[in-house]
Amino acid sequence: SQKIEQNSEALNIQEGKTATLTCNYTNYSPAYLQWYRQDPGRGPVFLLLIRENEKEKRKERLKVTFDTTLKQSLFHITASQPADSATYLCALEGGSYGNNRLAFGKGNQVVVIP
Amino acid sequence: EAQVTQNPRYLITVTGKKLTVTCSQNMNHEYMSWYRQDPGLGLRQIYYSMNVEVTDKGDVPEGYKVSRKEKRNFPLILESPSPNQTSLYFCASATNNEQFFGPGTRLTVL
């Protein structure tokens, strides 16, 4: 069955540094990979989507890469700020999983230290 | 304001007592979905709907029903809730693969 792995340990990072999160997947060929931010007690908020034929996507201080050979996505927050502290979820959609079905990783917490 | 609303936000109930969690969106999205989020298991898709009168099972549909009679509403029905359905539930609507989540419903089944 499909498996999506994100680091279960929180990432503690100094303000101003770049935070890098990893999303690995197996038994899966998604058409899209998405990243969401979730704050405690709230619903996830969409950040970025990258397609299987795209290598990299940027949005303001965020950058996502997608390597379908390695079956891995990297999510970068540059010049991190305390307000970036949250849990970040990767989600895979479509492809071998089926159109319109979304599978989420368990999330990786980021703590930005002032 | 574009949003997804869910009601109730919090609910404590007992085993076997039928309940409905409502979900409504004002963005005219065709796609809607329900998820549950549990510690250690992450977000899992329960059901989704591509449009009115079209619904499909996600990863964990057992014990749940949905209906999509109107575009804006997508209620989640638990006909006979059990304690293992205690969870945090999120409704979402989507366009262009971007999901907009509601604020969540925390359900406890005793």
Side-chain angles (χ1 to χ4, degrees):
Chain A
S1 62
Q2 307 92 340
K3 195 172 180 182
I4 304 168
E5 292 181 335
Q6 294 186 256
N7 197 336
S8 58
E9 285 187 27
L11 175 66
N12 295 310
I13 191 160
Q14 208 71 35
E15 182 176 4
K17 301 291 186 185
T18 296
T20 298
L21 306 180
T22 305
C23 176
N24 294 303
Y25 59 92
T26 56
N27 299 328
Y28 200 174
S29 297
Y32 308 99
L33 190 145
Q34 304 178 27
W35 284 89
Y36 288 78
R37 170 188 171 133
Q38 187 173 24
D39 293 287
R42 306 192 74 168
V45 174
F46 173 83
L47 296 174
L48 279 166
L49 177 150
I50 188 165
R51 292 177 170 76
E52 61 179 336
N53 60 351
E54 296 176 315
K55 297 291 185 189
E56 182 179 301
K57 207 84 170 275
R58 292 175 186 258
K59 180 182 174 183
E60 297 171 354
R61 293 184 296 110
L62 307 179
K63 185 177 88 170
V64 171
T65 63
F66 192 13
D67 189 327
T68 55
T69 301
L70 289 178
K71 294 188 182 293
Q72 180 181 82
S73 175
L74 298 178
F75 176 80
H76 307 272
I77 308 172
T78 59
S80 58
Q81 304 167 0
D84 295 326
S85 298
T87 296
Y88 292 86
L89 311 173
C90 72
L92 280 65
E93 182 182 2
S96 58
Y97 188 54
N99 288 337
N100 309 305
R101 293 184 65 184
L102 207 62
F104 282 84
K106 294 176 186 176
N108 195 177
Q109 186 182 10
V110 172
V111 178
V112 181
I113 303 161
Chain B
E1 181 191 352
Q3 60 182 346
V4 177
T5 56
Q6 296 179 225
N7 281 294
R9 295 289 314 281
Y10 302 91
L11 179 61
I12 300 174
T13 189
V14 294
T15 299
K17 186 176 180 183
K18 181 179 178 179
L19 67 93
T20 299
V21 184
T22 65
C23 172
S24 184
Q25 51 98 2
N26 62 1
M27 294 170 278
N28 202 37
H29 290 165
E30 292 183 345
Y31 182 96
M32 296 187 75
S33 184
W34 274 103
Y35 300 86
R36 62 177 288 175
Q37 188 170 37
D38 303 286
L41 296 176
L43 266 170
R44 293 178 294 169
Q45 194 170 36
I46 303 171
Y47 269 95
Y48 64 96
S49 170
M50 292 299 298
N51 212 327
V52 175
E53 302 293 359
V54 180
T55 62
D56 275 299
K57 295 178 181 179
D59 288 322
V60 288
E62 296 78 20
Y64 304 96
K65 283 174 58 177
V66 293
S67 70
R68 188 88 184 273
K69 294 186 172 62
E70 313 164 89
K71 199 175 206 179
R72 64 182 294 125
N73 296 323
F74 190 44
L76 180 69
I77 303 154
L78 285 73
E79 294 269 3
S80 183
S82 62
N84 65 12
Q85 293 178 298
T86 292
S87 187
L88 179 58
Y89 291 87
F90 289 104
C91 178
S93 68
T95 186
N96 297 324
N97 305 101
E98 177 181 341
Q99 306 245 339
F100 296 81
F101 282 82
T105 295
R106 189 166 292 279
L107 172 67
T108 301
V109 184
L110 302 175

